[in-house]
Structure formats: C-alpha cells, structure tokens
Amino acid sequence: MNPSMDWSQRLQLLFLSHLCLTGSSKAAGELCVDNGRETEQVFSVSGDAAMLTSTLVDLNGFNYRSIPYNISWYDPRTGTELSREKGKTLVRGKTLWIFNITMEDAGDYECVVRLPTECYKKVALLIVNHTNPEECGRPEKAQQVLTNTATSFLNCPLSDHIREVDNYSIQWYKDCEPIVKDDPLWNRFSYVSHNAMELLQVEVVTLEDHAFYTCTMTFTLEGLSGRISETINSLVNVEYCLEPKVVEPANEIIKADLGSSFSKMCRVFVPSVGNKHCANLNWIVRENSISKIVSERIFQESQRGNLSEEKEGVWLERSLKFLMVEEEDFYINYTCKVSSDRGSPSASFTLQPTDPNYLFPIGVLLITLVLVFTVSIVVYHHFKINIMLSLRRMFPLLHTNTDSDGKLYDAYVAYPRVQKDEVPREDQPVELVMGLMGFGEDSDRHKEEIC
Ligand SMILES: *[C@@H]1O[C@H](CO)[C@@H](O)[C@H](O)[C@H]1NC(C)=O
Ligand SMILES: *[C@@H]1O[C@H](CO)[C@@H](O)[C@H](O)[C@H]1NC(C)=O
Ligand SMILES: *[C@@H]1O[C@H](CO)[C@@H](O)[C@H](O)[C@H]1NC(C)=O
Ligand SMILES: *[C@@H]1O[C@H](CO)[C@@H](O)[C@H](O)[C@H]1NC(C)=O
Ligand SMILES: *[C@@H]1O[C@H](CO)[C@@H](O)[C@H](O)[C@H]1NC(C)=O
Ligand SMILES: *[C@@H]1O[C@H](CO)[C@@H](O)[C@H](O)[C@H]1NC(C)=O
C-alpha cells in the first residue's frame, strides 16, 4: 500500500481488496488485507534453526514508532499461533525463529500485523533440505574468492543473526573437516571476529584451498538453544591484485616558478599476478577529478601500466601537467587517488612559488666583510711600524706637526756610564738607538747623558 494514501482510500482498499477471514485462533470475523507472498524463500536444513522475517511492517509505510502494532505468526495448516510457549518457536521483532527444524516444518507461514484499526497479512515459505553428506554443508551456497599466495578472508554469512542472539560460538568446516583452532595441522587458518563479523583467515592460499567452507553458529536466544550454518563455495583466484601503494607524490611541497610549465607523476605499485589493470589512478583537485575540470592549461595524461621487473606486481602511472603555472595553482592540494578492490589509497602535493633567494648573497657578503676586517687587524698589528712610515712618506703634509708629537728627541745615543777618573776606552761600543716615538718625558733624565 502506498504511504501517501489517505484514510478514505485506505478504507476503500480494505473492502475492495480480497478480504480474508482469519484462522480459528484469531478474533472472529477479523478482516486482514492480504499482501500475498514474501518474494524471498527461506532455506534451511534439518537440525538447523530457521528465521522468517516479515516485510509487512516495512512495506506499508506507516510511522510504526508512533502507531502501536502487534506481529503474530501462524501455521496455516493448523491455524495455531506460533509463540515462545510452544518451546520450539520464538517471535522477536519482525522475525519468527524456528528451532531444530525437521522436514515436517517445511511449508507456508503466515505473518499478521495488527494496528488499532487495520490488519495486514503475508505468507512466507520455508524450504527444508537434508544436508548433503558429501559436502557437509547446506545445498545453497554463497560464493567467495580466495586470492592465490596471499592472505585472504572468508566471511561467515551469518552476521545478521549474530547481532540478534544472546550468546554464540562459531565453528568452521573445510569440506567435512572441522577447522580446529590453535591446531598445528590448521596453522594457515585462524578465526577472526571483527564488528559482529566472523571471518576465517587463510594465509598463503594455495589452489587446494578451493573447497566448501561451512560456518556453524551455536547460540542461545531467550533461553532456547539452536544452531545455524551457512556454506561458502570458495574459488581461488589465480590472477589477482593486492593493496596498491602510492610511491609518488608523497604529501610534499614542491616549488615551481610562476609562468613555467610543470608536471608531476603519480606512481603506484600494486603487488599482483597476471593482471595489469588492478587499479585506476585519478588526479583530484578541490574534490573534483581533473578530467571533469575542462582546462587546457592543467590536465592529466592517460594512465600507463608496466609489469614490474624486480618483484611481482605492476607499476601504474599517470602524470598531471601544467602548461603554465599561475598564481591560483599555488597552495592547494593535488591528490592522486587510487581506486581498487583491495583499497583506495591517495597522496597529494602542494605547489609553492620559488622565492627569490636572498640568503645566499647576504651570507657571502657578511662572510667577506668579516674576513676583510680580520685580515686588516692582523696586517695592522704585524706591520704597524712599516705602515706608519710609509704613510708618512706618502703623505708628508699630514705630519707637519712632528715637532709637537710630545717627543723631545728623534734619536739619542746611549753609552755606558764610567767613573769620573776613568777614561772611556776606544773599543767600548756605544749603543745608538734610533728613537722614533714613544720616549716622551721619561727620556728627560738622559738629556745630560747625550750632551
Ligand atoms: C497488542 O497486544 C497487546 C497485548 O496482547 C494488546 O493489549 C494490544 O491491544 C495489541 N495492540 C494491537 C494494536 O492490536
Ligand atoms: C530442497 O528441497 C526442495 C523440496 O523440499 C527440493 O525441491 C529442492 O530441489 C531441494 N534443493 C536441493 C539443493 O537439494
Ligand atoms: C553467555 O554465556 C556465558 C558463558 O558461556 C554465560 O555466563 C552468560 O550468562 C551467557 N549469557 C546469556 C545472555 O545467555
Ligand atoms: C535443539 O536440539 C538440541 C540438541 O538436540 C537441544 O540441545 C536443544 O535444546 C534443542 N532446542 C530447542 C529449542 O528445542
Ligand atoms: C615500462 O618500464 C620500462 C623499464 O622499466 C620503461 O622503459 C618504460 O618506459 C615503461 N613503460 C611504461 C608504459 O611505463
Ligand atoms: C592538504 O592536505 C593536507 C594533508 O595531506 C591537509 O592537512 C591540508 O589541510 C590540505 N590542505 C588543503 C588546502 O586542503
């Protein structure tokens, strides 16, 4: 029924649609709108539990949060309501749980949804099969793929039910053999629980791992205990691709000259066997693919693939080209996004203008200045006298005031003192010292001696 129908339409439909008198256990004369059959049939095997879930509540588009309603399940053959009291069935929300299924449980089950003024019904079909003894699993199988030589996972298709039960434990089987936890015989296999998902991890997959895997959940729900199984037909992929790794770009900052052309390669390695088309590379800017931005200035070239020579895998590359870098291209992220079944990594780079380099010339200048200064000081200290002399010679005018430089004599003669009665000997050397500077007043006392 259409949720947008108004009340009169609904009443009309109530009387025009095929009306039904419900079974003996229901209120006499109760009229329920027949919604036909559930499209999905439920398969089970003897010994398992089966769950029939009604779509009536979802279909009729009421606001079930504000309108009170009751769900009941009936066995149409006996007309009896199925409930917890029977010890074999349980109604929880929209689902009828049937425990310890036998072949006799196969058939139709009727779900009735009652609202204060309305009533709807729908029939669900349960098909029961024997377990195939050769396959040790259920006749209906999910298909999952293991990747040759890699580590792969099988996902037990019971996660919807795992969330609903009170307590559970999982047992995996490969063909008919139970996979024993922590058994060296089964060392490549391990049980993994993750977010209400029960996984079987298979390491270093070989072609022999192609088999039927069955996961069996033993559980309790409101005090009743039961068991459900699902079987997976696992195929082993010989051609495969694993998780891609972006080698370039590396979330870096790259300097580019304004007005110059620029290009950056996105390089991705995908470990793989026999497959060159493992992933798609796409350059993204401001959350848009470059290809969608119609620009002649910035564009990406088509993707290229190359089988790797050094290790098993494929190199994929795609370059991003700027014919001419403009101001608006700076300081934004250019991201290379990889899409593949095994993961979607990405990496980006940012362009920055090359700044004119002041540091180098400034450094050179400073070092030169320091060197010149040091050399001058050293030279001055070593050749102080020579410099002064040569300066005087070169600029005699600057030294007109030599008389008043505080020195009284430019030279004096020193001789050894002798006793008054002693006559100085001819051979006694007389020291002659050229006094150029610095004798000052101290030399006063030598005046007489010179005279
Ligand atoms: C649902 O069931 C309860 C208890 O049996 C009853 O009181 C209530 O009226 C029912 N509601 C409707 C909408 O039938
Ligand atoms: C399951 O059982 C139904 C009838 O009970 C039968 O028609 C069907 O072929 C069986 N399916 C398998 C896979 O055995
Ligand atoms: C679940 O199992 C554990 C031990 O196996 C038990 O202690 C616990 O009470 C059980 N819980 C429920 C809700 O049955
Ligand atoms: C189903 O069968 C098992 C073993 O035969 C038993 O332990 C269990 O209590 C049964 N469950 C119900 C709900 O009857
Ligand atoms: C493939 O790799 C070879 C050598 O490693 C190189 O010369 C060639 O250009 C590559 N081709 C492509 C399409 O990347
Ligand atoms: C660019 O990417 C980095 C991380 O790779 C992020 O921290 C930064 O905010 C991004 N900048 C812009 C402008 O989106």
Side-chain angles (χ1 to χ4, degrees), residues 254-287:
I254 300 174
K255 305 267 182 186
D257 287 319
L258 194 64
S260 66
S261 67
F262 177 82
S263 83
K264 180 72 183 164
M265 188 67 91
C266 176
R267 294 185 78 229
V268 174
F269 183 75
V270 195
S272 62
V273 164
N275 197 340
K276 274 178 96 176
H277 309 283
C278 292
N280 284 320
L281 276 48
N282 219 336
W283 281 99
I284 310 272
V285 61
R286 294 195 181 97
E287 288 162 18

mmCIF file of all heavy atoms in Angstrom, residues 254-287:
data_model
loop_
_atom_site.group_PDB
_atom_site.id
_atom_site.type_symbol
_atom_site.label_atom_id
_atom_site.label_comp_id
_atom_site.label_asym_id
_atom_site.label_seq_id
_atom_site.Cartn_x
_atom_site.Cartn_y
_atom_site.Cartn_z
ATOM 1 N N ILE A 254 56.123 21.317 -3.325
ATOM 2 C CA ILE A 254 57.038 21.427 -4.460
ATOM 3 C C ILE A 254 57.070 22.888 -4.903
ATOM 4 O O ILE A 254 56.028 23.536 -4.998
ATOM 5 C CB ILE A 254 56.572 20.517 -5.622
ATOM 6 C CG1 ILE A 254 56.545 19.058 -5.151
ATOM 7 C CG2 ILE A 254 57.486 20.669 -6.826
ATOM 8 C CD1 ILE A 254 55.964 18.097 -6.155
ATOM 9 N N LYS A 255 58.276 23.396 -5.147
ATOM 10 C CA LYS A 255 58.424 24.782 -5.592
ATOM 11 C C LYS A 255 58.334 24.831 -7.114
ATOM 12 O O LYS A 255 58.905 23.975 -7.793
ATOM 13 C CB LYS A 255 59.788 25.330 -5.158
ATOM 14 C CG LYS A 255 60.036 25.202 -3.671
ATOM 15 C CD LYS A 255 59.624 26.445 -2.953
ATOM 16 C CE LYS A 255 59.928 26.291 -1.481
ATOM 17 N NZ LYS A 255 59.433 27.387 -0.679
ATOM 18 N N ALA A 256 57.606 25.802 -7.617
ATOM 19 C CA ALA A 256 57.502 25.946 -9.062
ATOM 20 C C ALA A 256 57.561 27.428 -9.403
ATOM 21 O O ALA A 256 57.096 28.270 -8.626
ATOM 22 C CB ALA A 256 56.210 25.335 -9.570
ATOM 23 N N ASP A 257 58.143 27.726 -10.558
ATOM 24 C CA ASP A 257 58.223 29.117 -10.993
ATOM 25 C C ASP A 257 56.913 29.526 -11.625
ATOM 26 O O ASP A 257 56.347 28.788 -12.440
ATOM 27 C CB ASP A 257 59.350 29.280 -12.021
ATOM 28 C CG ASP A 257 60.714 29.198 -11.357
ATOM 29 O OD1 ASP A 257 60.851 29.769 -10.256
ATOM 30 O OD2 ASP A 257 61.606 28.550 -11.927
ATOM 31 N N LEU A 258 56.466 30.700 -11.248
ATOM 32 C CA LEU A 258 55.265 31.264 -11.851
ATOM 33 C C LEU A 258 55.521 31.389 -13.354
ATOM 34 O O LEU A 258 56.584 31.877 -13.763
ATOM 35 C CB LEU A 258 55.011 32.641 -11.220
ATOM 36 C CG LEU A 258 53.644 33.264 -11.454
ATOM 37 C CD1 LEU A 258 52.572 32.424 -10.808
ATOM 38 C CD2 LEU A 258 53.624 34.671 -10.886
ATOM 39 N N GLY A 259 54.569 30.920 -14.158
ATOM 40 C CA GLY A 259 54.716 31.062 -15.603
ATOM 41 C C GLY A 259 55.452 29.922 -16.286
ATOM 42 O O GLY A 259 55.427 29.814 -17.497
ATOM 43 N N SER A 260 56.071 29.045 -15.490
ATOM 44 C CA SER A 260 56.788 27.934 -16.116
ATOM 45 C C SER A 260 55.854 26.753 -16.291
ATOM 46 O O SER A 260 54.759 26.729 -15.735
ATOM 47 C CB SER A 260 57.970 27.528 -15.237
ATOM 48 O OG SER A 260 57.480 26.996 -14.039
ATOM 49 N N SER A 261 56.271 25.754 -17.037
ATOM 50 C CA SER A 261 55.455 24.544 -17.147
ATOM 51 C C SER A 261 55.894 23.600 -16.031
ATOM 52 O O SER A 261 56.982 23.734 -15.489
ATOM 53 C CB SER A 261 55.653 23.885 -18.505
ATOM 54 O OG SER A 261 56.958 23.395 -18.593
ATOM 55 N N PHE A 262 54.988 22.670 -15.669
ATOM 56 C CA PHE A 262 55.275 21.789 -14.539
ATOM 57 C C PHE A 262 54.542 20.486 -14.754
ATOM 58 O O PHE A 262 53.441 20.462 -15.300
ATOM 59 C CB PHE A 262 54.798 22.458 -13.243
ATOM 60 C CG PHE A 262 54.976 21.594 -12.034
ATOM 61 C CD1 PHE A 262 56.197 21.511 -11.392
ATOM 62 C CD2 PHE A 262 53.910 20.829 -11.544
ATOM 63 C CE1 PHE A 262 56.367 20.695 -10.291
ATOM 64 C CE2 PHE A 262 54.074 20.012 -10.447
ATOM 65 C CZ PHE A 262 55.302 19.953 -9.809
ATOM 66 N N SER A 263 55.148 19.376 -14.329
ATOM 67 C CA SER A 263 54.383 18.127 -14.366
ATOM 68 C C SER A 263 54.801 17.244 -13.207
ATOM 69 O O SER A 263 55.930 17.292 -12.731
ATOM 70 C CB SER A 263 54.565 17.406 -15.704
ATOM 71 O OG SER A 263 55.728 16.654 -15.684
ATOM 72 N N LYS A 264 53.847 16.488 -12.713
ATOM 73 C CA LYS A 264 54.093 15.607 -11.573
ATOM 74 C C LYS A 264 53.505 14.244 -11.902
ATOM 75 O O LYS A 264 52.384 14.134 -12.387
ATOM 76 C CB LYS A 264 53.434 16.187 -10.327
ATOM 77 C CG LYS A 264 53.621 15.352 -9.080
ATOM 78 C CD LYS A 264 55.052 15.418 -8.572
ATOM 79 C CE LYS A 264 55.233 14.506 -7.374
ATOM 80 N NZ LYS A 264 56.667 14.267 -7.122
ATOM 81 N N MET A 265 54.307 13.201 -11.615
ATOM 82 C CA MET A 265 53.870 11.849 -11.905
ATOM 83 C C MET A 265 53.236 11.225 -10.663
ATOM 84 O O MET A 265 53.741 11.426 -9.561
ATOM 85 C CB MET A 265 55.091 11.029 -12.320
ATOM 86 C CG MET A 265 54.769 9.655 -12.833
ATOM 87 S SD MET A 265 53.887 9.703 -14.379
ATOM 88 C CE MET A 265 55.255 9.644 -15.540
ATOM 89 N N CYS A 266 52.125 10.542 -10.848
ATOM 90 C CA CYS A 266 51.595 9.706 -9.769
ATOM 91 C C CYS A 266 52.078 8.299 -10.073
ATOM 92 O O CYS A 266 51.802 7.759 -11.145
ATOM 93 C CB CYS A 266 50.066 9.746 -9.747
ATOM 94 S SG CYS A 266 49.372 8.638 -8.520
ATOM 95 N N ARG A 267 52.838 7.721 -9.151
ATOM 96 C CA ARG A 267 53.365 6.374 -9.366
ATOM 97 C C ARG A 267 52.858 5.453 -8.261
ATOM 98 O O ARG A 267 52.964 5.770 -7.082
ATOM 99 C CB ARG A 267 54.889 6.376 -9.371
ATOM 100 C CG ARG A 267 55.465 7.141 -10.533
ATOM 101 C CD ARG A 267 56.979 7.025 -10.589
ATOM 102 N NE ARG A 267 57.371 5.733 -11.143
ATOM 103 C CZ ARG A 267 58.262 4.928 -10.581
ATOM 104 N NH1 ARG A 267 58.813 5.241 -9.427
ATOM 105 N NH2 ARG A 267 58.584 3.785 -11.148
ATOM 106 N N VAL A 268 52.280 4.328 -8.695
ATOM 107 C CA VAL A 268 51.640 3.403 -7.753
ATOM 108 C C VAL A 268 52.146 2.000 -8.044
ATOM 109 O O VAL A 268 52.239 1.599 -9.208
ATOM 110 C CB VAL A 268 50.103 3.467 -7.911
ATOM 111 C CG1 VAL A 268 49.421 2.425 -7.055
ATOM 112 C CG2 VAL A 268 49.587 4.857 -7.590
ATOM 113 N N PHE A 269 52.493 1.284 -6.985
ATOM 114 C CA PHE A 269 52.874 -0.121 -7.162
ATOM 115 C C PHE A 269 51.767 -1.016 -6.621
ATOM 116 O O PHE A 269 51.286 -0.811 -5.509
ATOM 117 C CB PHE A 269 54.193 -0.424 -6.453
ATOM 118 C CG PHE A 269 54.652 -1.833 -6.684
ATOM 119 C CD1 PHE A 269 55.194 -2.194 -7.906
ATOM 120 C CD2 PHE A 269 54.513 -2.801 -5.699
ATOM 121 C CE1 PHE A 269 55.608 -3.497 -8.140
ATOM 122 C CE2 PHE A 269 54.914 -4.112 -5.932
ATOM 123 C CZ PHE A 269 55.461 -4.459 -7.148
ATOM 124 N N VAL A 270 51.343 -1.981 -7.438
ATOM 125 C CA VAL A 270 50.329 -2.932 -6.993
ATOM 126 C C VAL A 270 50.919 -4.339 -7.072
ATOM 127 O O VAL A 270 51.211 -4.827 -8.161
ATOM 128 C CB VAL A 270 49.057 -2.870 -7.871
ATOM 129 C CG1 VAL A 270 47.909 -3.576 -7.181
ATOM 130 C CG2 VAL A 270 48.678 -1.448 -8.203
ATOM 131 N N PRO A 271 51.098 -4.996 -5.898
ATOM 132 C CA PRO A 271 51.530 -6.391 -5.951
ATOM 133 C C PRO A 271 50.448 -7.206 -6.651
ATOM 134 O O PRO A 271 49.278 -7.124 -6.271
ATOM 135 C CB PRO A 271 51.643 -6.788 -4.471
ATOM 136 C CG PRO A 271 51.622 -5.506 -3.712
ATOM 137 C CD PRO A 271 50.869 -4.526 -4.542
ATOM 138 N N SER A 272 50.794 -7.943 -7.675
ATOM 139 C CA SER A 272 49.752 -8.641 -8.437
ATOM 140 C C SER A 272 50.359 -9.773 -9.245
ATOM 141 O O SER A 272 51.570 -9.846 -9.421
ATOM 142 C CB SER A 272 49.062 -7.664 -9.379
ATOM 143 O OG SER A 272 49.998 -7.166 -10.300
ATOM 144 N N VAL A 273 49.474 -10.610 -9.729
ATOM 145 C CA VAL A 273 49.898 -11.685 -10.625
ATOM 146 C C VAL A 273 48.964 -11.694 -11.819
ATOM 147 O O VAL A 273 47.745 -11.694 -11.672
ATOM 148 C CB VAL A 273 49.884 -13.067 -9.914
ATOM 149 C CG1 VAL A 273 49.949 -14.194 -10.937
ATOM 150 C CG2 VAL A 273 51.036 -13.187 -8.941
ATOM 151 N N GLY A 274 49.563 -11.653 -12.998
ATOM 152 C CA GLY A 274 48.825 -11.793 -14.242
ATOM 153 C C GLY A 274 47.737 -10.765 -14.485
ATOM 154 O O GLY A 274 46.795 -11.022 -15.204
ATOM 155 N N ASN A 275 47.863 -9.611 -13.864
ATOM 156 C CA ASN A 275 46.823 -8.611 -14.074
ATOM 157 C C ASN A 275 47.452 -7.236 -14.162
ATOM 158 O O ASN A 275 48.180 -6.819 -13.274
ATOM 159 C CB ASN A 275 45.814 -8.656 -12.926
ATOM 160 C CG ASN A 275 44.521 -7.967 -13.278
ATOM 161 O OD1 ASN A 275 44.474 -7.154 -14.191
ATOM 162 N ND2 ASN A 275 43.477 -8.293 -12.554
ATOM 163 N N LYS A 276 47.198 -6.549 -15.254
ATOM 164 C CA LYS A 276 47.777 -5.219 -15.431
ATOM 165 C C LYS A 276 46.771 -4.121 -15.127
ATOM 166 O O LYS A 276 47.118 -2.950 -15.082
ATOM 167 C CB LYS A 276 48.260 -5.056 -16.882
ATOM 168 C CG LYS A 276 49.655 -5.573 -17.105
ATOM 169 C CD LYS A 276 50.049 -5.436 -18.557
ATOM 170 C CE LYS A 276 50.847 -4.188 -18.816
ATOM 171 N NZ LYS A 276 51.315 -4.068 -20.201
ATOM 172 N N HIS A 277 45.525 -4.516 -14.923
ATOM 173 C CA HIS A 277 44.505 -3.478 -14.735
ATOM 174 C C HIS A 277 43.956 -3.546 -13.321
ATOM 175 O O HIS A 277 42.773 -3.775 -13.107
ATOM 176 C CB HIS A 277 43.407 -3.646 -15.779
ATOM 177 C CG HIS A 277 43.969 -3.747 -17.159
ATOM 178 N ND1 HIS A 277 44.415 -2.645 -17.850
ATOM 179 C CD2 HIS A 277 44.218 -4.816 -17.951
ATOM 180 C CE1 HIS A 277 44.907 -3.032 -19.018
ATOM 181 N NE2 HIS A 277 44.794 -4.346 -19.107
ATOM 182 N N CYS A 278 44.852 -3.376 -12.381
ATOM 183 C CA CYS A 278 44.494 -3.573 -10.985
ATOM 184 C C CYS A 278 43.780 -2.386 -10.380
ATOM 185 O O CYS A 278 42.997 -2.539 -9.456
ATOM 186 C CB CYS A 278 45.745 -3.841 -10.163
ATOM 187 S SG CYS A 278 46.514 -5.408 -10.556
ATOM 188 N N ALA A 279 44.090 -1.206 -10.851
ATOM 189 C CA ALA A 279 43.570 -0.016 -10.163
ATOM 190 C C ALA A 279 43.457 1.143 -11.138
ATOM 191 O O ALA A 279 44.067 1.130 -12.217
ATOM 192 C CB ALA A 279 44.512 0.371 -9.019
ATOM 193 N N ASN A 280 42.654 2.104 -10.772
ATOM 194 C CA ASN A 280 42.528 3.325 -11.559
ATOM 195 C C ASN A 280 43.126 4.496 -10.805
ATOM 196 O O ASN A 280 42.870 4.667 -9.616
ATOM 197 C CB ASN A 280 41.061 3.618 -11.865
ATOM 198 C CG ASN A 280 40.536 2.706 -12.943
ATOM 199 O OD1 ASN A 280 41.239 2.420 -13.911
ATOM 200 N ND2 ASN A 280 39.320 2.234 -12.760
ATOM 201 N N LEU A 281 43.924 5.270 -11.514
ATOM 202 C CA LEU A 281 44.555 6.445 -10.916
ATOM 203 C C LEU A 281 43.834 7.689 -11.413
ATOM 204 O O LEU A 281 43.487 7.776 -12.585
ATOM 205 C CB LEU A 281 46.026 6.526 -11.344
ATOM 206 C CG LEU A 281 47.056 5.718 -10.563
ATOM 207 C CD1 LEU A 281 46.617 4.296 -10.361
ATOM 208 C CD2 LEU A 281 48.403 5.787 -11.231
ATOM 209 N N ASN A 282 43.634 8.629 -10.520
ATOM 210 C CA ASN A 282 42.918 9.840 -10.895
ATOM 211 C C ASN A 282 43.457 11.019 -10.115
ATOM 212 O O ASN A 282 43.591 10.943 -8.901
ATOM 213 C CB ASN A 282 41.432 9.657 -10.580
ATOM 214 C CG ASN A 282 40.555 10.252 -11.642
ATOM 215 O OD1 ASN A 282 40.971 11.155 -12.371
ATOM 216 N ND2 ASN A 282 39.341 9.756 -11.731
ATOM 217 N N TRP A 283 43.777 12.092 -10.807
ATOM 218 C CA TRP A 283 44.215 13.308 -10.105
ATOM 219 C C TRP A 283 42.995 14.129 -9.695
ATOM 220 O O TRP A 283 42.107 14.372 -10.514
ATOM 221 C CB TRP A 283 45.127 14.144 -10.995
ATOM 222 C CG TRP A 283 46.518 13.634 -11.052
ATOM 223 C CD1 TRP A 283 47.070 12.865 -12.041
ATOM 224 C CD2 TRP A 283 47.542 13.841 -10.071
ATOM 225 N NE1 TRP A 283 48.374 12.582 -11.732
ATOM 226 C CE2 TRP A 283 48.697 13.166 -10.536
ATOM 227 C CE3 TRP A 283 47.601 14.519 -8.850
ATOM 228 C CZ2 TRP A 283 49.891 13.162 -9.813
ATOM 229 C CZ3 TRP A 283 48.786 14.512 -8.142
ATOM 230 C CH2 TRP A 283 49.926 13.843 -8.617
ATOM 231 N N ILE A 284 42.975 14.523 -8.433
ATOM 232 C CA ILE A 284 41.824 15.244 -7.877
ATOM 233 C C ILE A 284 42.304 16.607 -7.387
ATOM 234 O O ILE A 284 43.336 16.692 -6.719
ATOM 235 C CB ILE A 284 41.260 14.491 -6.650
ATOM 236 C CG1 ILE A 284 41.032 13.018 -6.952
ATOM 237 C CG2 ILE A 284 40.031 15.166 -6.085
ATOM 238 C CD1 ILE A 284 39.721 12.676 -7.522
ATOM 239 N N VAL A 285 41.561 17.637 -7.714
ATOM 240 C CA VAL A 285 41.845 18.938 -7.121
ATOM 241 C C VAL A 285 40.538 19.530 -6.607
ATOM 242 O O VAL A 285 39.524 19.482 -7.283
ATOM 243 C CB VAL A 285 42.577 19.880 -8.103
ATOM 244 C CG1 VAL A 285 41.752 20.149 -9.348
ATOM 245 C CG2 VAL A 285 42.966 21.170 -7.424
ATOM 246 N N ARG A 286 40.549 19.999 -5.409
ATOM 247 C CA ARG A 286 39.361 20.528 -4.726
ATOM 248 C C ARG A 286 38.188 19.558 -4.876
ATOM 249 O O ARG A 286 37.081 19.928 -5.257
ATOM 250 C CB ARG A 286 38.966 21.891 -5.261
ATOM 251 C CG ARG A 286 39.986 22.969 -4.975
ATOM 252 C CD ARG A 286 39.390 24.341 -5.198
ATOM 253 N NE ARG A 286 40.345 25.382 -4.966
ATOM 254 C CZ ARG A 286 41.050 25.988 -5.925
ATOM 255 N NH1 ARG A 286 40.865 25.663 -7.182
ATOM 256 N NH2 ARG A 286 41.911 26.929 -5.609
ATOM 257 N N GLU A 287 38.436 18.279 -4.604
ATOM 258 C CA GLU A 287 37.435 17.220 -4.617
ATOM 259 C C GLU A 287 36.821 16.949 -5.980
ATOM 260 O O GLU A 287 35.800 16.282 -6.101
ATOM 261 C CB GLU A 287 36.324 17.509 -3.580
ATOM 262 C CG GLU A 287 36.847 17.299 -2.172
ATOM 263 C CD GLU A 287 35.986 17.957 -1.126
ATOM 264 O OE1 GLU A 287 34.829 18.280 -1.438
ATOM 265 O OE2 GLU A 287 36.486 18.140 -0.001
#
